[in-house]
Amino acid sequence: REGRQGSQGVVFDLGGVLIRDPWEWMLLRAEDNIADRFHLSRKDVARIGVELCGKYECSRWMHPLIEQEEAWWMDFLAALPEHPEELTVEYLIRETDRYIQPIEPERIRMTLERLLEKGMSLGICSNNVDFWFAKQWRRLELDRYFPEQRIILSQAIGATKRSPGHEMFYAVKRN
């Protein structure tokens, strides 16, 4: 889109564009995913993940990120019909970082660098939860490409991209 000073810009989504969706990849899709490793019902895991995203991605959470992550995993385990004793909140938090995986990292890096070289303003608009995003931000070193003021997350806005009021897209336009 046309920027305030006449510059062009590109807004990216995260999940499925720059990075594998972390909860889905971790719990269901990675070769060593949690569902298979702990013999969990894939149907239950998928349903719970979608429910938790629905609950968290629009709720304005004002607590530290670790408390948000603990609450997410406590809700996840509480919603599972049954799970092994060794599958704990602490275990899931420890495991999360290794599942934060970019999609085609070298290609993404080259694309982002090329866009910046051309003077493009880059932004992110994502249905995302603060604690997942913080991990993605660090792991992918997104600060190299995206200024913080151009990050629009559903949790901060209180609405998703699917919202009939288009709140996230209006927030992108303002930034």
Side-chain angles (χ1 to χ4, degrees):
R1 74 173 173 88
E2 191 74 19
R4 290 198 174 104
Q5 283 89 33
S7 65
Q8 298 273 322
V10 179
V11 179
F12 290 87
D13 192 0
L14 277 177
V17 176
L18 298 178
I19 189 166
R20 292 174 179 14
D21 188 301
W23 77 264
E24 208 171 338
W25 183 253
M26 175 180 182
L27 296 173
L28 295 168
R29 299 214 172 145
E31 188 174 299
D32 61 341
N33 67 75
I34 301 293
D36 292 346
R37 192 176 333 148
F38 288 96
H39 309 289
L40 305 173
S41 159
R42 295 174 69 73
K43 184 178 176 183
D44 287 339
V45 169
R47 176 186 50 78
I48 294 165
V50 168
E51 288 171 4
L52 289 177
C53 283
K55 174 181 177 181
Y56 282 82
E57 68 188 6
C58 290
S59 64
R60 295 180 184 213
W61 192 275
M62 299 302 191
H63 301 289
L65 296 178
I66 188 64
E67 288 180 21
Q68 183 185 127
E69 186 173 14
E70 287 171 351
W72 203 94
W73 289 119
M74 285 184 346
D75 286 352
F76 173 77
L77 292 174
L80 274 175
E82 55 183 68
H83 60 85
E85 194 174 290
E86 63 269 20
L87 186 61
T88 64
V89 168
E90 294 76 21
Y91 173 84
L92 291 163
I93 289 172
R94 273 194 319 272
E95 286 291 292
T96 301
D97 280 344
R98 73 184 191 91
Y99 288 98
I100 304 292
Q101 297 292 324
I103 297 172
E104 299 187 47
E106 190 57 28
R107 193 172 184 185
I108 289 171
R109 183 191 59 74
M110 287 174 31
T111 299
L112 295 175
E113 286 175 2
R114 200 170 303 134
L115 289 169
L116 287 174
E117 286 170 8
K118 291 182 179 221
M120 295 285 191
S121 173
L122 303 181
I124 291 174
C125 180
S126 179
N127 291 338
N128 212 320
V129 177
D130 292 343
F131 83 86
W132 287 119
F133 181 75
K135 289 173 178 286
Q136 295 163 344
W137 182 260
R138 275 191 318 275
R139 172 96 161 121
L140 301 177
E141 299 176 336
L142 294 174
D143 60 317
R144 295 172 56 196
Y145 310 103
F146 300 95
E148 283 188 51
Q149 67 271 22
R150 295 235 167 82
I151 307 298
I152 307 298
L153 303 179
S154 58
Q155 192 171 39
I157 301 298
T160 68
K161 290 181 281 185
R162 297 177 302 276
S163 168
H166 310 290
E167 294 90 338
M168 286 190 68
F169 298 108
Y170 286 119
V172 167
K173 189 175 178 184
R174 285 191 300 272
N175 285 343

PDB file of all heavy atoms in Angstrom, residues 70-96:
ATOM      1  N   GLU A  70       1.739 -20.252  30.444  1.00  0.00           N
ATOM      2  CA  GLU A  70       1.338 -21.260  31.439  1.00  0.00           C
ATOM      3  C   GLU A  70      -0.173 -21.484  31.393  1.00  0.00           C
ATOM      4  O   GLU A  70      -0.641 -22.626  31.433  1.00  0.00           O
ATOM      5  CB  GLU A  70       1.761 -20.829  32.838  1.00  0.00           C
ATOM      6  CG  GLU A  70       3.237 -20.938  33.086  1.00  0.00           C
ATOM      7  CD  GLU A  70       3.673 -20.306  34.402  1.00  0.00           C
ATOM      8  OE1 GLU A  70       2.853 -19.614  35.076  1.00  0.00           O
ATOM      9  OE2 GLU A  70       4.846 -20.488  34.762  1.00  0.00           O
ATOM     10  N   ALA A  71      -0.930 -20.407  31.309  1.00  0.00           N
ATOM     11  CA  ALA A  71      -2.394 -20.521  31.274  1.00  0.00           C
ATOM     12  C   ALA A  71      -2.839 -21.274  30.018  1.00  0.00           C
ATOM     13  O   ALA A  71      -3.743 -22.120  30.086  1.00  0.00           O
ATOM     14  CB  ALA A  71      -3.035 -19.133  31.328  1.00  0.00           C
ATOM     15  N   TRP A  72      -2.225 -20.977  28.875  1.00  0.00           N
ATOM     16  CA  TRP A  72      -2.570 -21.655  27.621  1.00  0.00           C
ATOM     17  C   TRP A  72      -2.365 -23.158  27.763  1.00  0.00           C
ATOM     18  O   TRP A  72      -3.250 -23.952  27.455  1.00  0.00           O
ATOM     19  CB  TRP A  72      -1.702 -21.107  26.484  1.00  0.00           C
ATOM     20  CG  TRP A  72      -2.269 -21.269  25.106  1.00  0.00           C
ATOM     21  CD1 TRP A  72      -3.007 -20.346  24.433  1.00  0.00           C
ATOM     22  CD2 TRP A  72      -2.141 -22.385  24.218  1.00  0.00           C
ATOM     23  NE1 TRP A  72      -3.345 -20.825  23.181  1.00  0.00           N
ATOM     24  CE2 TRP A  72      -2.816 -22.082  23.022  1.00  0.00           C
ATOM     25  CE3 TRP A  72      -1.518 -23.623  24.316  1.00  0.00           C
ATOM     26  CZ2 TRP A  72      -2.894 -22.937  21.945  1.00  0.00           C
ATOM     27  CZ3 TRP A  72      -1.590 -24.503  23.236  1.00  0.00           C
ATOM     28  CH2 TRP A  72      -2.270 -24.149  22.072  1.00  0.00           C
ATOM     29  N   TRP A  73      -1.187 -23.553  28.262  1.00  0.00           N
ATOM     30  CA  TRP A  73      -0.894 -24.985  28.394  1.00  0.00           C
ATOM     31  C   TRP A  73      -1.717 -25.652  29.492  1.00  0.00           C
ATOM     32  O   TRP A  73      -2.090 -26.827  29.362  1.00  0.00           O
ATOM     33  CB  TRP A  73       0.604 -25.219  28.590  1.00  0.00           C
ATOM     34  CG  TRP A  73       1.383 -24.957  27.339  1.00  0.00           C
ATOM     35  CD1 TRP A  73       2.368 -24.032  27.153  1.00  0.00           C
ATOM     36  CD2 TRP A  73       1.241 -25.624  26.080  1.00  0.00           C
ATOM     37  NE1 TRP A  73       2.842 -24.080  25.858  1.00  0.00           N
ATOM     38  CE2 TRP A  73       2.164 -25.048  25.176  1.00  0.00           C
ATOM     39  CE3 TRP A  73       0.412 -26.649  25.612  1.00  0.00           C
ATOM     40  CZ2 TRP A  73       2.295 -25.466  23.859  1.00  0.00           C
ATOM     41  CZ3 TRP A  73       0.546 -27.073  24.291  1.00  0.00           C
ATOM     42  CH2 TRP A  73       1.467 -26.485  23.434  1.00  0.00           C
ATOM     43  N   MET A  74      -2.021 -24.934  30.565  1.00  0.00           N
ATOM     44  CA  MET A  74      -2.906 -25.498  31.598  1.00  0.00           C
ATOM     45  C   MET A  74      -4.284 -25.749  31.004  1.00  0.00           C
ATOM     46  O   MET A  74      -4.883 -26.802  31.244  1.00  0.00           O
ATOM     47  CB  MET A  74      -2.990 -24.565  32.816  1.00  0.00           C
ATOM     48  CG  MET A  74      -1.732 -24.624  33.647  1.00  0.00           C
ATOM     49  SD  MET A  74      -1.660 -23.665  35.203  1.00  0.00           S
ATOM     50  CE  MET A  74      -2.993 -22.554  35.174  1.00  0.00           C
ATOM     51  N   ASP A  75      -4.781 -24.795  30.220  1.00  0.00           N
ATOM     52  CA  ASP A  75      -6.070 -24.980  29.547  1.00  0.00           C
ATOM     53  C   ASP A  75      -6.016 -26.155  28.572  1.00  0.00           C
ATOM     54  O   ASP A  75      -6.958 -26.932  28.467  1.00  0.00           O
ATOM     55  CB  ASP A  75      -6.486 -23.710  28.796  1.00  0.00           C
ATOM     56  CG  ASP A  75      -6.965 -22.595  29.708  1.00  0.00           C
ATOM     57  OD1 ASP A  75      -7.137 -22.829  30.920  1.00  0.00           O
ATOM     58  OD2 ASP A  75      -7.156 -21.475  29.192  1.00  0.00           O
ATOM     59  N   PHE A  76      -4.907 -26.283  27.869  1.00  0.00           N
ATOM     60  CA  PHE A  76      -4.742 -27.388  26.922  1.00  0.00           C
ATOM     61  C   PHE A  76      -4.819 -28.735  27.647  1.00  0.00           C
ATOM     62  O   PHE A  76      -5.598 -29.617  27.268  1.00  0.00           O
ATOM     63  CB  PHE A  76      -3.404 -27.253  26.181  1.00  0.00           C
ATOM     64  CG  PHE A  76      -3.080 -28.426  25.304  1.00  0.00           C
ATOM     65  CD1 PHE A  76      -3.697 -28.578  24.072  1.00  0.00           C
ATOM     66  CD2 PHE A  76      -2.163 -29.384  25.715  1.00  0.00           C
ATOM     67  CE1 PHE A  76      -3.410 -29.673  23.265  1.00  0.00           C
ATOM     68  CE2 PHE A  76      -1.869 -30.471  24.912  1.00  0.00           C
ATOM     69  CZ  PHE A  76      -2.488 -30.621  23.686  1.00  0.00           C
ATOM     70  N   LEU A  77      -4.033 -28.875  28.693  1.00  0.00           N
ATOM     71  CA  LEU A  77      -4.025 -30.150  29.427  1.00  0.00           C
ATOM     72  C   LEU A  77      -5.358 -30.428  30.101  1.00  0.00           C
ATOM     73  O   LEU A  77      -5.828 -31.571  30.123  1.00  0.00           O
ATOM     74  CB  LEU A  77      -2.882 -30.168  30.443  1.00  0.00           C
ATOM     75  CG  LEU A  77      -1.475 -30.214  29.843  1.00  0.00           C
ATOM     76  CD1 LEU A  77      -0.418 -30.090  30.934  1.00  0.00           C
ATOM     77  CD2 LEU A  77      -1.268 -31.475  29.016  1.00  0.00           C
ATOM     78  N   ALA A  78      -5.997 -29.398  30.634  1.00  0.00           N
ATOM     79  CA  ALA A  78      -7.293 -29.573  31.302  1.00  0.00           C
ATOM     80  C   ALA A  78      -8.365 -30.036  30.311  1.00  0.00           C
ATOM     81  O   ALA A  78      -9.280 -30.770  30.685  1.00  0.00           O
ATOM     82  CB  ALA A  78      -7.724 -28.270  31.969  1.00  0.00           C
ATOM     83  N   ALA A  79      -8.240 -29.637  29.054  1.00  0.00           N
ATOM     84  CA  ALA A  79      -9.241 -29.996  28.052  1.00  0.00           C
ATOM     85  C   ALA A  79      -9.018 -31.392  27.456  1.00  0.00           C
ATOM     86  O   ALA A  79      -9.921 -31.946  26.843  1.00  0.00           O
ATOM     87  CB  ALA A  79      -9.246 -28.956  26.922  1.00  0.00           C
ATOM     88  N   LEU A  80      -7.815 -31.943  27.659  1.00  0.00           N
ATOM     89  CA  LEU A  80      -7.544 -33.297  27.145  1.00  0.00           C
ATOM     90  C   LEU A  80      -8.284 -34.314  27.997  1.00  0.00           C
ATOM     91  O   LEU A  80      -8.209 -34.263  29.223  1.00  0.00           O
ATOM     92  CB  LEU A  80      -6.048 -33.611  27.213  1.00  0.00           C
ATOM     93  CG  LEU A  80      -5.181 -33.187  26.059  1.00  0.00           C
ATOM     94  CD1 LEU A  80      -3.716 -33.481  26.370  1.00  0.00           C
ATOM     95  CD2 LEU A  80      -5.591 -33.852  24.765  1.00  0.00           C
ATOM     96  N   PRO A  81      -8.972 -35.255  27.379  1.00  0.00           N
ATOM     97  CA  PRO A  81      -9.677 -36.284  28.160  1.00  0.00           C
ATOM     98  C   PRO A  81      -8.724 -37.031  29.094  1.00  0.00           C
ATOM     99  O   PRO A  81      -9.050 -37.304  30.232  1.00  0.00           O
ATOM    100  CB  PRO A  81     -10.267 -37.214  27.099  1.00  0.00           C
ATOM    101  CG  PRO A  81     -10.352 -36.378  25.873  1.00  0.00           C
ATOM    102  CD  PRO A  81      -9.210 -35.399  25.950  1.00  0.00           C
ATOM    103  N   GLU A  82      -7.541 -37.357  28.600  1.00  0.00           N
ATOM    104  CA  GLU A  82      -6.508 -37.962  29.442  1.00  0.00           C
ATOM    105  C   GLU A  82      -5.166 -37.762  28.771  1.00  0.00           C
ATOM    106  O   GLU A  82      -5.077 -37.607  27.555  1.00  0.00           O
ATOM    107  CB  GLU A  82      -6.769 -39.445  29.673  1.00  0.00           C
ATOM    108  CG  GLU A  82      -6.938 -40.261  28.420  1.00  0.00           C
ATOM    109  CD  GLU A  82      -7.256 -41.702  28.724  1.00  0.00           C
ATOM    110  OE1 GLU A  82      -8.360 -41.962  29.239  1.00  0.00           O
ATOM    111  OE2 GLU A  82      -6.394 -42.548  28.452  1.00  0.00           O
ATOM    112  N   HIS A  83      -4.130 -37.731  29.593  1.00  0.00           N
ATOM    113  CA  HIS A  83      -2.776 -37.561  29.061  1.00  0.00           C
ATOM    114  C   HIS A  83      -1.783 -38.170  30.041  1.00  0.00           C
ATOM    115  O   HIS A  83      -2.073 -38.290  31.233  1.00  0.00           O
ATOM    116  CB  HIS A  83      -2.461 -36.087  28.785  1.00  0.00           C
ATOM    117  CG  HIS A  83      -2.543 -35.214  29.989  1.00  0.00           C
ATOM    118  ND1 HIS A  83      -1.498 -35.060  30.858  1.00  0.00           N
ATOM    119  CD2 HIS A  83      -3.557 -34.464  30.469  1.00  0.00           C
ATOM    120  CE1 HIS A  83      -1.871 -34.228  31.836  1.00  0.00           C
ATOM    121  NE2 HIS A  83      -3.110 -33.857  31.618  1.00  0.00           N
ATOM    122  N   PRO A  84      -0.623 -38.551  29.543  1.00  0.00           N
ATOM    123  CA  PRO A  84       0.383 -39.140  30.420  1.00  0.00           C
ATOM    124  C   PRO A  84       0.864 -38.142  31.470  1.00  0.00           C
ATOM    125  O   PRO A  84       0.884 -36.927  31.224  1.00  0.00           O
ATOM    126  CB  PRO A  84       1.523 -39.515  29.480  1.00  0.00           C
ATOM    127  CG  PRO A  84       1.039 -39.318  28.104  1.00  0.00           C
ATOM    128  CD  PRO A  84      -0.203 -38.502  28.156  1.00  0.00           C
ATOM    129  N   GLU A  85       1.265 -38.653  32.580  1.00  0.00           N
ATOM    130  CA  GLU A  85       1.724 -37.835  33.703  1.00  0.00           C
ATOM    131  C   GLU A  85       2.913 -36.949  33.339  1.00  0.00           C
ATOM    132  O   GLU A  85       3.040 -35.825  33.818  1.00  0.00           O
ATOM    133  CB  GLU A  85       2.121 -38.779  34.848  1.00  0.00           C
ATOM    134  CG  GLU A  85       2.313 -38.125  36.176  1.00  0.00           C
ATOM    135  CD  GLU A  85       2.557 -39.174  37.245  1.00  0.00           C
ATOM    136  OE1 GLU A  85       1.609 -39.913  37.572  1.00  0.00           O
ATOM    137  OE2 GLU A  85       3.702 -39.231  37.748  1.00  0.00           O
ATOM    138  N   GLU A  86       3.795 -37.446  32.450  1.00  0.00           N
ATOM    139  CA  GLU A  86       4.992 -36.674  32.087  1.00  0.00           C
ATOM    140  C   GLU A  86       4.700 -35.514  31.126  1.00  0.00           C
ATOM    141  O   GLU A  86       5.558 -34.671  30.889  1.00  0.00           O
ATOM    142  CB  GLU A  86       6.091 -37.580  31.518  1.00  0.00           C
ATOM    143  CG  GLU A  86       5.738 -38.282  30.240  1.00  0.00           C
ATOM    144  CD  GLU A  86       5.098 -39.663  30.449  1.00  0.00           C
ATOM    145  OE1 GLU A  86       4.586 -39.955  31.541  1.00  0.00           O
ATOM    146  OE2 GLU A  86       5.102 -40.430  29.487  1.00  0.00           O
ATOM    147  N   LEU A  87       3.499 -35.451  30.590  1.00  0.00           N
ATOM    148  CA  LEU A  87       3.108 -34.331  29.748  1.00  0.00           C
ATOM    149  C   LEU A  87       2.587 -33.229  30.665  1.00  0.00           C
ATOM    150  O   LEU A  87       1.431 -33.224  31.076  1.00  0.00           O
ATOM    151  CB  LEU A  87       2.043 -34.752  28.722  1.00  0.00           C
ATOM    152  CG  LEU A  87       1.663 -33.697  27.686  1.00  0.00           C
ATOM    153  CD1 LEU A  87       2.865 -33.296  26.841  1.00  0.00           C
ATOM    154  CD2 LEU A  87       0.551 -34.224  26.794  1.00  0.00           C
ATOM    155  N   THR A  88       3.465 -32.303  30.997  1.00  0.00           N
ATOM    156  CA  THR A  88       3.150 -31.249  31.957  1.00  0.00           C
ATOM    157  C   THR A  88       3.256 -29.882  31.294  1.00  0.00           C
ATOM    158  O   THR A  88       3.824 -29.751  30.195  1.00  0.00           O
ATOM    159  CB  THR A  88       4.143 -31.279  33.142  1.00  0.00           C
ATOM    160  OG1 THR A  88       5.456 -30.985  32.628  1.00  0.00           O
ATOM    161  CG2 THR A  88       4.127 -32.618  33.867  1.00  0.00           C
ATOM    162  N   VAL A  89       2.761 -28.876  31.970  1.00  0.00           N
ATOM    163  CA  VAL A  89       2.892 -27.497  31.504  1.00  0.00           C
ATOM    164  C   VAL A  89       4.369 -27.157  31.336  1.00  0.00           C
ATOM    165  O   VAL A  89       4.779 -26.586  30.317  1.00  0.00           O
ATOM    166  CB  VAL A  89       2.206 -26.525  32.489  1.00  0.00           C
ATOM    167  CG1 VAL A  89       2.570 -25.082  32.188  1.00  0.00           C
ATOM    168  CG2 VAL A  89       0.697 -26.724  32.468  1.00  0.00           C
ATOM    169  N   GLU A  90       5.191 -27.512  32.304  1.00  0.00           N
ATOM    170  CA  GLU A  90       6.621 -27.213  32.256  1.00  0.00           C
ATOM    171  C   GLU A  90       7.278 -27.868  31.035  1.00  0.00           C
ATOM    172  O   GLU A  90       8.097 -27.258  30.353  1.00  0.00           O
ATOM    173  CB  GLU A  90       7.316 -27.667  33.541  1.00  0.00           C
ATOM    174  CG  GLU A  90       6.885 -26.910  34.780  1.00  0.00           C
ATOM    175  CD  GLU A  90       5.503 -27.330  35.312  1.00  0.00           C
ATOM    176  OE1 GLU A  90       5.021 -28.451  34.999  1.00  0.00           O
ATOM    177  OE2 GLU A  90       4.895 -26.509  36.024  1.00  0.00           O
ATOM    178  N   TYR A  91       6.920 -29.117  30.782  1.00  0.00           N
ATOM    179  CA  TYR A  91       7.468 -29.830  29.630  1.00  0.00           C
ATOM    180  C   TYR A  91       7.084 -29.113  28.326  1.00  0.00           C
ATOM    181  O   TYR A  91       7.931 -28.886  27.462  1.00  0.00           O
ATOM    182  CB  TYR A  91       6.955 -31.278  29.608  1.00  0.00           C
ATOM    183  CG  TYR A  91       7.339 -32.026  28.362  1.00  0.00           C
ATOM    184  CD1 TYR A  91       8.585 -32.631  28.262  1.00  0.00           C
ATOM    185  CD2 TYR A  91       6.472 -32.103  27.279  1.00  0.00           C
ATOM    186  CE1 TYR A  91       8.955 -33.302  27.100  1.00  0.00           C
ATOM    187  CE2 TYR A  91       6.834 -32.776  26.120  1.00  0.00           C
ATOM    188  CZ  TYR A  91       8.075 -33.371  26.032  1.00  0.00           C
ATOM    189  OH  TYR A  91       8.440 -34.020  24.886  1.00  0.00           O
ATOM    190  N   LEU A  92       5.831 -28.767  28.194  1.00  0.00           N
ATOM    191  CA  LEU A  92       5.351 -28.123  26.968  1.00  0.00           C
ATOM    192  C   LEU A  92       6.016 -26.763  26.753  1.00  0.00           C
ATOM    193  O   LEU A  92       6.380 -26.418  25.626  1.00  0.00           O
ATOM    194  CB  LEU A  92       3.830 -28.006  26.997  1.00  0.00           C
ATOM    195  CG  LEU A  92       3.116 -29.360  26.883  1.00  0.00           C
ATOM    196  CD1 LEU A  92       1.662 -29.238  27.326  1.00  0.00           C
ATOM    197  CD2 LEU A  92       3.221 -29.911  25.475  1.00  0.00           C
ATOM    198  N   ILE A  93       6.205 -26.010  27.815  1.00  0.00           N
ATOM    199  CA  ILE A  93       6.891 -24.715  27.701  1.00  0.00           C
ATOM    200  C   ILE A  93       8.336 -24.924  27.256  1.00  0.00           C
ATOM    201  O   ILE A  93       8.828 -24.222  26.368  1.00  0.00           O
ATOM    202  CB  ILE A  93       6.819 -23.929  29.027  1.00  0.00           C
ATOM    203  CG1 ILE A  93       5.385 -23.431  29.259  1.00  0.00           C
ATOM    204  CG2 ILE A  93       7.806 -22.760  29.030  1.00  0.00           C
ATOM    205  CD1 ILE A  93       5.147 -22.812  30.617  1.00  0.00           C
ATOM    206  N   ARG A  94       9.025 -25.890  27.852  1.00  0.00           N
ATOM    207  CA  ARG A  94      10.416 -26.176  27.465  1.00  0.00           C
ATOM    208  C   ARG A  94      10.529 -26.596  26.000  1.00  0.00           C
ATOM    209  O   ARG A  94      11.469 -26.242  25.317  1.00  0.00           O
ATOM    210  CB  ARG A  94      11.000 -27.294  28.344  1.00  0.00           C
ATOM    211  CG  ARG A  94      11.612 -26.840  29.622  1.00  0.00           C
ATOM    212  CD  ARG A  94      12.454 -27.928  30.277  1.00  0.00           C
ATOM    213  NE  ARG A  94      11.888 -29.272  30.224  1.00  0.00           N
ATOM    214  CZ  ARG A  94      11.045 -29.782  31.132  1.00  0.00           C
ATOM    215  NH1 ARG A  94      10.653 -29.066  32.151  1.00  0.00           N
ATOM    216  NH2 ARG A  94      10.599 -31.022  30.996  1.00  0.00           N
ATOM    217  N   GLU A  95       9.567 -27.353  25.525  1.00  0.00           N
ATOM    218  CA  GLU A  95       9.611 -27.883  24.165  1.00  0.00           C
ATOM    219  C   GLU A  95       9.256 -26.859  23.094  1.00  0.00           C
ATOM    220  O   GLU A  95       9.662 -27.002  21.944  1.00  0.00           O
ATOM    221  CB  GLU A  95       8.637 -29.064  24.038  1.00  0.00           C
ATOM    222  CG  GLU A  95       9.123 -30.312  24.714  1.00  0.00           C
ATOM    223  CD  GLU A  95      10.319 -30.912  24.003  1.00  0.00           C
ATOM    224  OE1 GLU A  95      10.163 -31.405  22.872  1.00  0.00           O
ATOM    225  OE2 GLU A  95      11.417 -30.875  24.580  1.00  0.00           O
ATOM    226  N   THR A  96       8.501 -25.850  23.453  1.00  0.00           N
ATOM    227  CA  THR A  96       7.936 -24.935  22.465  1.00  0.00           C
ATOM    228  C   THR A  96       8.964 -24.312  21.533  1.00  0.00           C
ATOM    229  O   THR A  96       8.769 -24.302  20.315  1.00  0.00           O
ATOM    230  CB  THR A  96       7.130 -23.825  23.166  1.00  0.00           C
ATOM    231  OG1 THR A  96       6.099 -24.426  23.937  1.00  0.00           O
ATOM    232  CG2 THR A  96       6.510 -22.874  22.178  1.00  0.00           C
TER     233      THR A  96
END
